[in-house]
Amino acid sequence: MTENSAKLNYIPFESFEVGQKHTFGAYEVTEEEIIEFAQKYDAQFFHLDREAAKDSLFGGLCASGWHTCAMTMAMMVENMDGKGRSLGSPGIDSLSWLRPVYPGDVLCVEQEVLETNPSKSRPEIGIVVSKVSVSNQKNEVVMEFISKGIFRRGS
């Protein structure tokens, strides 16, 4: 399904304030999804084989860190659905996988605005820098990164 950009609502840069926090998401991780992702993108035994993974550093089958990133992105886009869209991202910094993600875990996201930077060269946009923390159902942080999002100004 594609979206017609003329009909998209964009989140205004001015709606972000430093210190603002927002928690969202409830992504349930399944064994089938872990294995399917690993078969395509990260075919290591602790992502593919439940029995062999018991002897790994993780003690059981766990999601690829890249899969955790993809699940997080899915939650971020779903969260934007009610509010509008960004204009994209120039990247992330300081990505850390802190704990394994296992089948049955339920992930959620906390996003904290660290900086809002109006563009000096393109006055119609600004960059929002956020700390993104992903936690499991035990409130253990499993992944963190610094996200940079581009947003339309003057909306």
Side-chain angles (χ1 to χ4, degrees), residues 65-66 68-69 92-98 132 143-146:
W66 298 113
T68 304
C69 289
I92 63 169
D93 293 326
S94 306
L95 172 63
S96 297
W97 295 307
L98 303 169
V132 176
M143 182 177 75
E144 286 184 332
F145 59 90
I146 304 300

Side-chain angles (χ1 to χ4, degrees), residues 2 4 8 23 32-33 60 88-90 127-128:
T2 61
N4 182 338
L8 284 179
T23 302
E32 295 76 24
E33 187 178 11
S89 173
I127 305 287
V128 176

Side-chain angles (χ1 to χ4, degrees), residues 109-114 129-133 144-147:
V109 176
E110 180 181 84
Q111 197 164 11
E112 177 183 2
V113 177
L114 302 178
V129 179
S130 300
K131 178 181 178 184
V132 176
S133 301
E144 286 184 332
F145 59 90
I146 304 300
S147 173

Side-chain angles (χ1 to χ4, degrees), residues 1 3 8-9 11 22 24-27 68-89 109 111 132 145 147 151:
M1 175 184 244
E3 296 174 284
L8 284 179
N9 179 35
I11 302 170
H22 183 59
F24 54 90
Y27 194 107
T68 304
C69 289
M71 291 182 280
T72 300
M73 190 67 208
M75 287 185 281
M76 292 174 77
V77 170
E78 183 177 327
N79 179 61
M80 285 190 289
D81 277 345
K83 298 177 182 95
R85 296 282 185 225
S86 74
L87 296 174
S89 173
V109 176
Q111 197 164 11
V132 176
F145 59 90
S147 173
F151 295 89

Side-chain angles (χ1 to χ4, degrees), residues 41-56:
Y41 305 111
D42 193 354
Q44 299 185 73
F45 76 96
F46 40 84
H47 302 319
L48 293 169
D49 185 318
R50 183 183 329 123
E51 289 306 310
K54 290 177 183 176
D55 292 328
S56 74

